[in-house]
Amino acid sequence: MTTTDEQPVKDGDPLRALDAAAARAVVDPHAAIEALPWLGDSIDADASDGRFARWGHSTVIDENTGSEVVSADLFRALHDRAGIPATFPVGNAGLLHVYGYLLSTTPTPYGLKRERWLDGALARAYGRAADAFLPWTPPSATGTLLRRVEAAAGALLATGAVHEEPAGDAVGRIAIARRSPTGPAALAYALDRDGERRLITTFPVASPEAVLAAVRSEGPRLRWNATP
């Protein structure tokens, strides 16, 4: 079971509810979303605020494994809740990477996708408290998880991209920084097109130098499951 390094799981802990909902999402994703009031409330709030429009598009077919990290049924349930038209496997990057990953049970070489929001490492890389990205914080208290992630990634990208490259008809921007003396760095990725920026994803990286070396050796392309 997933745990944060600073908040051990106890009976009644919201992490147990998330585990149960993720398991339920395999057979009934609509019920899984309803089982977590904070999740539905967050998606509703972000949709009302137009926040999903600040994110680009992404496929749920992971480029490392070739498998779907969010099922077609969960994909549709999330987009239905957000009121966003989408055709599997390509949907809204914010909805999928932030909320879809919370309910994903598909393993990857880096563990479950939701770990970035739960274990505190990415939050600390951004110079925030370890619990800054915990998803069950009521939206009325500190803003939705999507809002908190957007603020962190947007600020990092605004300080200047570490690497820019052509990405179809857009410009891909990769920014990496480490705000904590130990632990991983935070990577944020966005696409700039026609004067508008669309966030794609953010995640922790152990070695910024290795990531940038790989990016440069591969040459320009859409990255980290981004789509046009």
Side-chain angles (χ1 to χ4, degrees):
M1 178 174 291
T2 305
T3 61
T4 66
D5 55 358
E6 298 186 4
Q7 297 192 4
V9 175
K10 300 178 181 178
D11 288 341
D13 191 285
L15 186 53
R16 294 190 185 278
L18 178 59
D19 285 336
R24 191 173 188 179
V26 175
V27 294
D28 192 344
H30 287 282
I33 294 171
E34 292 295 335
L36 300 170
W38 53 262
L39 177 56
D41 289 348
S42 294
I43 294 173
D44 294 346
D46 290 326
S48 178
D49 291 343
R51 203 166 294 279
F52 292 116
R54 299 185 182 93
W55 292 75
H57 296 95
S58 173
T59 176
V60 296
I61 307 301
D62 186 74
E63 63 182 36
N64 291 305
T65 66
S67 61
E68 58 189 41
V69 292
V70 173
S71 71
D73 288 343
L74 178 55
F75 175 100
R76 285 188 285 269
L78 289 165
H79 285 85
D80 286 348
R81 182 68 184 238
I84 300 173
T87 301
F88 184 84
V90 175
N92 183 270
L95 181 65
L96 294 170
H97 293 174
V98 176
Y99 299 126
Y101 283 178
L102 289 172
L103 296 176
S104 173
T105 57
T106 303
T108 75
Y110 307 100
L112 292 177
K113 294 282 193 177
R114 64 177 178 169
E115 296 296 338
R116 69 189 64 177
W117 312 130
L118 303 182
D119 66 12
L122 180 60
R124 286 192 297 270
Y126 272 112
R128 288 160 165 75
D131 62 355
F133 293 149
L134 290 182
W136 43 77
T137 302
S140 59
T142 60
T144 65
L145 175 57
L146 189 80
R147 180 179 178 182
R148 286 174 271 147
V149 170
E150 177 190 315
L156 178 55
L157 286 158
T159 63
V162 173
H163 179 78
E164 294 185 354
E165 62 183 2
D169 62 348
V171 174
R173 292 174 59 87
I174 303 168
I176 306 177
R178 180 184 284 110
R179 310 299 189 198
S180 175
T182 60
L187 182 151
Y189 179 57
L191 298 177
D192 289 353
R193 180 185 290 110
D194 298 328
E196 295 185 340
R197 176 163 300 163
R198 295 289 183 266
L199 294 169
I200 299 297
T201 192
T202 181
F203 52 89
V205 294
S207 173
E209 297 79 13
V211 170
L212 291 173
V215 164
R216 291 179 175 122
S217 68
E218 292 167 358
R221 66 177 179 87
L222 288 165
R223 301 186 184 278
W224 299 303
N225 303 321
T227 62

